[in-house]
């Protein structure tokens, strides 16, 4: 019997790795929480075929944080692709992942991996020295050329900053600038299954540019959902989570939230 091609992609984000023995903001044991996220993905009843890390891999961009991240990621027995975020340092990031041939040797860390049933097109939305995101005209030209190379194959566009306002005022100050230009490029292609991002430490969904944008929760903390214009920044030690994106030729892509931790069950009902 013919077995349908299926691809399961795990997504983790905003891990904020610290040097060994240090905590994220002195509160969250982000190193331990990444280890738990890796164990969670590898313990699923169907192990992902690929893992995407969508930015803020480390917290300060220091080489010792990247060394810690590589030590933790050595336990991940699944191919992974890593995209930088605003807490990453581009050159230190590039040096830490020098063995990953998909990363360019110079300039922004845009890349395309086309070895799976779903093509992965990643954008470096970071602005060195700043926390907001932006993609310059050269990056948008690269994206258009890359997407135009195959207008039929299912494609994911991956970047750290969501291309829309979240409604959380203290996050939207660090949003992606000029997202309408990115929308013009992506909206010209009808084979973009999802735009995947991180940054906001929350799951958010929005229909945008002819596709669906999905942000991934953090493995460390949850940024508080405070919507008043004068809201003060806040975070919670909420249950960490990741995303699972299941693609099949018959059904397209469905995205699931997967909470990380030990919970009561399983019970024999559904």
């Amino acid at each position: 019997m013919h077995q349908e091609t299926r691809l399961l992609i795990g997504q983790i984000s905003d891990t904020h790795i610290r040097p060994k023995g240090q905590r994220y903001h002195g509160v969250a044991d982000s190193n331990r929480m990444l280890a738990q996220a890796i164990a969670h993905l590898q313990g699923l009843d169907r192990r992902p075929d690929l893992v995407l890390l969508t930015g803020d891999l480390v917290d300060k961009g220091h080489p010792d944080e990247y060394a810690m991240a590589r030590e933790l990621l050595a336990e991940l027995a699944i191919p992974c692709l890593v995209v930088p975020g605003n807490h990453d340092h581009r050159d230190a990031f590039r040096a830490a992942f020098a063995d990953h041939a998909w990363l360019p040797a110079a300039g922004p860390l845009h890349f395309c991996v086309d070895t799976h049933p779903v093509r992965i097109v990643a954008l470096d939305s970071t602005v060195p020295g700043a926390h907001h995101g932006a993609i310059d005209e050269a990056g948008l030209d690269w994206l258009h050329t890359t997407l135009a190379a195959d207008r039929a194959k299912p494609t994911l566009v991956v970047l750290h900053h969501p291309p829309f306002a979240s409604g959380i005022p203290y996050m939207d100050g660090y949003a992606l600038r000029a997202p309408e230009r990115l929308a013009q490029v992506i909206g010209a292609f009808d084979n973009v299954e999802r735009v995947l991002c991180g940054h906001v430490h929350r799951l958010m969904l929005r229909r945008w540019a002819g596709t669906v944008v999905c942000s991934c929760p953090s493995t460390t903390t949850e940024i508080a959902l405070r919507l008043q214009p004068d809201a003060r920044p806040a975070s919670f030690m909420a249950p960490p989570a990741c995303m699972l994106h299941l693609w099949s030729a018959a059904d397209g892509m469905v995205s699931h939230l997967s909470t990380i931790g030990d919970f009561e069950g399983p019970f024999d009902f559904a």
Side-chain angles (χ1 to χ4, degrees), residues 153-249:
K153 186 171 184 176
T155 296
L156 291 177
V157 174
V158 184
L159 72 164
H160 180 65
H161 295 81
F164 59 86
S166 69
I168 303 172
Y170 45 85
M171 290 304 299
D172 290 338
Y174 305 125
L176 184 75
R177 304 285 171 84
E180 64 278 358
R181 288 288 294 115
L182 180 60
Q184 289 172 356
V185 176
I186 291 177
F189 300 90
D190 60 8
N191 59 326
V192 177
E193 291 276 346
R194 292 282 190 282
V195 175
L196 302 181
C197 49
H199 189 53
V200 290
H201 292 218
R202 302 186 60 85
L203 169 63
M204 298 189 309
L205 297 169
R206 183 181 168 183
R207 185 172 64 178
W208 177 84
T211 186
V212 175
V213 182
C214 177
S215 70
C216 184
S218 170
T219 57
T220 55
T221 55
E222 180 182 78
I223 287 175
L225 183 60
R226 293 182 171 181
L227 302 177
Q228 293 296 330
D230 60 350
R232 295 181 60 83
S235 293
F236 289 94
M237 290 296 297
C242 60
M243 296 300 297
L244 297 171
H245 308 283
L246 178 63
W247 178 87
S248 71

Side-chain angles (χ1 to χ4, degrees), residues 75-118:
E75 298 299 316
L76 181 64
I78 304 169
C80 70
L81 302 175
V82 185
V83 177
N86 53 290
H87 281 260
D88 290 300
H89 184 283
R90 185 177 288 165
D91 291 337
F93 185 104
R94 195 192 323 267
F97 292 94
D99 57 327
H100 287 229
W102 38 267
L103 281 178
L109 298 170
H110 310 316
F111 64 87
C112 176
V113 172
D114 198 7
T115 55
H116 302 279
V118 175

Side-chain angles (χ1 to χ4, degrees), residues 20 38 65-76:
K20 188 183 295 288
I38 290 170
E65 293 178 324
Y66 286 108
M68 187 72 249
R70 288 306 305 255
E71 180 180 328
L72 293 165
L73 289 172
E75 298 299 316
L76 181 64

Side-chain angles (χ1 to χ4, degrees), residues 7-44:
L7 181 73
L8 182 62
I9 298 172
Q11 181 189 2
I12 57 179
S13 197
D14 296 86
T15 53
H16 289 277
I17 296 306
R18 298 289 289 130
K20 188 183 295 288
Q22 296 186 29
R23 290 177 175 249
Y24 173 57
H25 283 278
V27 175
D29 189 352
S30 55
N31 299 354
R32 174 183 57 81
M33 297 169 93
L34 174 56
Q36 291 174 336
I38 290 170
H40 173 77
L41 289 173
Q42 297 189 148
L44 293 170

